[in-house]
Amino acid sequence: MALSSLLSKPCISLLSAKPSPDNKNNKISPTSFTLCSSLKTKQSRVTKPATLSKTHKLSWQQELKQAFQQPKSQNLQTNNDSIDCNIDDIDDESFQKLVDKRCVDNVRMLIVDAVQNAQAGHPGMALGMADIGYYLYRHLMRYNPRDPKWFNRDRFVLSAGHGCLLQYVCLHLAGFESVQLEDLKRLCKLGSRTPGHPENTVTDGIEVTTGPLGQGVANAVGLALAEAHLAARFNKPDCDIVDHRTYCIMGDGCAMEGITHEAASLAAHWKLHKLTMIYDDNHNTIDGPISLAFSEDISARFKALGWNTITVDNTHDDMDSFNDALLSAFGDTEKPTFIRVKTLIGRLSRKEGTSKAHHGTFEEDDVKQMRQKVKWDSREPFHVIPMVYREMQIQTDHGEKLEKEWFSKFDYFKTNYPEEAAEFEVLLSGGLPPNWETCLPEWSVTDPVDATRGYSEKCLNQLVKVLPGLIGGSADLASSNKVFLQGSQDFQHSSFYGRNIRYGVREHAMAGISNGIALHKSGLIPFAATFLIFSDYMKNSIRLSALSHAGVIYIMTHDSVGLGEDGPTHQPIEQLAGLRAVPRLLVFRPADGNETAGAYREAITNRDAPSVIALSRQKVAANIEGTSANEVEKGGYIISDNSGKSLPDIILISTGSELCLCEGSAKMLRKEGRKVRVVSLVCWQLFNRQPKEYKEHVLPSSVSKRISVEAGSSMGWSEFVGREGIVMGVEEFGASGAYLDTFKKFGFTEENVTRVAKSLLSQY
């Protein structure tokens, strides 16, 4: 479409749009949001100026003439963008369209320059979606680069994380300090703020770490869930202090990943209407066109799930259709919106529309012709038209104004709703009120024994009384995992304030959504529960929890062959070893009630690290004398020792339900005159962080006779037992049978631990 035709089309601007007469839901309109009391005004979600100033137009005039106005005496071959009218004569709306068009040209050229300079990167999606990225940051999203963590900002997720150059360029132009021009020049360089995929811990303005496809879709659902939950709890008829939207760009690869389907199903079930998914439908993946492996109608799939679905055929020449799609999204208060945007991967280049554009650099002659197409020939790499910064400043100033208005609303909220405001402030401060840990129960050796999942249930239901942000659920196993929060309702469309989340059988999405909840950074403390064996379904999301510093608590029950009858398909063997290998992930395997309470204390205290709490199905043999909730923070500590001031003859090291077997064995050995130390190694990661002196105190290097006892893989235990020690573990897939019979089959009895210890002690 020639730009002259584009300019003659009537534009439906979001600034002037009115809700349709048949829109019965006037509570949320596409053009207004509620301010408190006398502060009520109407504001648009889009910041297109109603009238352009003469100064503004003059500043752009020469640039636009050079880019778009074609001299009548010439017939230049351009990218079909020239206009056949005088720029001086066009109306404000058409003038703004040309400004936007030129800004997008600048975005694309920065993308090309960054890739060429780095000799690395993924320019294809970034070039194809440049129009959408620019539009979101210039005209739509509410944010303040001067305060990137402002609570009520809109959230943006790039699930197709390989296209991060688009976001980096937009962040730079929008004025985020985290991405300077120099950072664009250091794309993918060691230590740069522009890594090869977006990382929220590296670059302000990045909400979540993405890269593995589909993860961002689940994260976006989690962000939207957090907004809906907090809005339901704290908004008042005269004051909405929680009112923001979540936008996510996904690609063809995301559409293929199962986690996307799981998360999208839940988003529709929950009717998260403030979630907008923008699908970059460029019909290419790395290996070639998607027709190689993908032929389904994605819009039909999302519609069947319950989404409002819209197709935009050509944003490159007509942004009005995208504008209209957004109007539909803002007007729908029952469904999330899926906008299918048909794009050309590698827009402008000779690779345009092919998988070759996905990643890698461009030939020099290709770069030259791209520059010619947008009349960029004479400009140095990384050139930014000065007016582009000023253009983006309009949105920055708008965001700053919105933040000031939000704080005024919050002052009103505090005055009129002091109790709710106090709780909200606790959440915004991290969600941990003073002395919250004192609510955790304590157990004595005389208390009735239970499975550690039972102790966990008691801990959770005490914590929910004092932690306003505790929220979570299970993948259809709440009764088995024992994670239902008593007195709290389910999170559903009719009760967004509920704190029990029903994920159904969707472990992977559960973990990805939990990451989004945690990274909303509003004091919510998400937990996600299932059987330990099914952590494999969740592994990539768990890894991203650790990488992105998301403090999700993973509650994993049925933690060993001790679960019994369900057999090898459900008995975890290698899972603990795999999880312990994840950097920054805290893996707890408590032995009794006190250690379970200690595990929760540490998991909740460490808000920038995820935790796994592995719990037993079967009742433990005893509440062990010597265990301590306080000592869990050290990861490993001495439970009992009859050595006095001398060193023990042997050290028995264990975790979880097997710790009581070691304590029972130690009593047998002590009756025979042996000096025995029993050590609980409840969290390897925390123990390894302790000073060398403390670790030497617990596990003296001069005591070489050591036995580890854990009903799982032996991998990793040699670090603690040493070359002369013995690892008692499980090296096969378990067996179906009553748990005591299964334990006996694999040698997990007091008698067998004692036999192995005697054998080791007999060696000199």
Side-chain angles (χ1 to χ4, degrees), residues 523-764:
L524 296 179
I525 302 173
F527 64 85
T530 187
F531 292 167
L532 180 57
I533 190 71
F534 300 138
S535 64
D536 287 348
Y537 283 131
M538 310 160 67
K539 186 65 177 296
N540 197 256
S541 295
I542 294 174
R543 185 177 188 272
L544 284 171
S545 299
L547 180 59
S548 58
H549 299 192
V552 180
I553 302 173
Y554 294 100
I555 302 170
M556 306 290 192
T557 68
H558 297 57
D559 67 347
S560 75
V561 293
L563 67 88
E565 290 82 356
D566 280 346
T569 60
H570 284 54
Q571 292 171 353
I573 304 299
E574 73 280 13
Q575 281 67 32
L576 281 171
L579 291 167
R580 285 168 174 156
V582 178
R584 290 186 57 82
L585 177 64
L586 301 178
V587 180
F588 298 90
R589 190 164 182 256
D592 62 5
N594 288 324
E595 285 200 343
T596 301
Y600 272 107
R601 189 177 74 171
E602 293 308 308
I604 291 167
T605 299
N606 285 276
R607 287 294 74 228
D608 64 346
S611 301
V612 169
I613 304 179
L615 303 162
S616 71
R617 176 202 182 201
Q618 76 281 10
K619 290 184 178 181
V620 295
N623 289 309
I624 306 167
E625 187 172 3
T627 58
S628 166
N630 293 333
E631 293 295 312
V632 170
E633 69 178 2
K634 298 175 183 175
Y637 62 102
I638 300 168
I639 297 296
S640 64
D641 191 344
N642 66 328
S643 307
K645 295 183 179 180
S646 61
L647 291 173
D649 300 324
I650 191 169
I651 303 175
L652 306 180
I653 315 167
S654 190
T655 71
S657 55
E658 295 80 75
L659 184 65
C660 60
L661 301 181
C662 289
E663 184 63 17
S665 174
K667 290 177 180 178
M668 293 182 186
L669 293 168
R670 288 165 185 160
K671 288 179 181 178
E672 298 179 9
R674 294 293 188 176
K675 293 180 289 186
V676 184
R677 175 175 294 182
V678 179
V679 169
S680 170
L681 208 60
V682 60
C683 180
W684 294 12
Q685 294 82 359
L686 291 180
F687 183 72
N688 285 333
R689 294 178 189 174
Q690 300 308 309
K692 182 179 178 181
E693 294 76 16
Y694 177 77
K695 290 187 285 186
E696 175 65 21
H697 166 69
V698 175
L699 298 175
S701 54
S702 56
V703 181
S704 59
K705 297 187 188 306
R706 305 179 187 180
I707 300 174
S708 68
V709 184
E710 185 174 70
S713 171
S714 60
M715 186 174 291
W717 275 106
S718 58
E719 174 187 352
F720 302 106
V721 301
R723 287 183 297 177
E724 297 181 35
I726 294 175
V727 177
M728 293 180 64
V730 181
E731 301 301 331
E732 52 188 282
F733 282 119
S736 179
Y739 102 82
L740 288 175
D741 294 337
T742 307
F743 256 35
K744 185 175 182 180
K745 171 181 169 62
F746 292 104
F748 296 107
T749 64
E750 289 181 8
E751 292 75 17
N752 192 51
V753 174
T754 303
R755 182 189 64 78
V756 173
K758 287 181 177 179
S759 174
L760 182 59
L761 286 165
S762 67
Q763 299 174 17
Y764 293 98

Side-chain angles (χ1 to χ4, degrees), residues 89-100:
D89 299 331
I90 62 177
D91 58 60
D92 285 356
E93 190 174 278
S94 299
F95 192 93
Q96 182 63 49
K97 287 182 181 180
L98 289 181
V99 169
D100 290 342

Side-chain angles (χ1 to χ4, degrees), residues 1-4 6-7 60 63-64 67-68 78-83 93-109 127 130-131 134-135 138-139 314-319 347-348 373-374 376 385 388 391:
M1 178 186 289
L3 205 59
S4 55
L6 174 68
L7 295 179
W60 271 106
E63 178 68 31
L64 298 184
F68 299 120
T78 66
N79 198 33
N80 206 26
D81 290 341
S82 59
I83 62 173
E93 190 174 278
S94 299
F95 192 93
Q96 182 63 49
K97 287 182 181 180
L98 289 181
V99 169
D100 290 342
K101 187 80 176 174
R102 197 53 174 163
C103 289
V104 172
D105 288 341
N106 205 154
V107 169
R108 286 198 171 101
M109 288 299 96
L127 289 171
D131 317 76
Y134 165 79
Y135 193 89
R138 165 60 186 90
H139 291 297
N314 181 12
T315 59
H316 299 310
D317 296 320
D318 180 11
M319 283 301 295
R347 173 76 170 172
L348 297 181
K373 283 182 178 179
V374 297
W376 211 262
I385 302 167
V388 174
E391 191 69 23

Side-chain angles (χ1 to χ4, degrees), residues 219 510-520 541-542 544-545 550 552 554:
N219 297 162
M510 173 175 67
I513 290 169
S514 296
N515 282 339
I517 296 171
L519 295 173
H520 193 255
S541 295
I542 294 174
L544 284 171
S545 299
V552 180
Y554 294 100

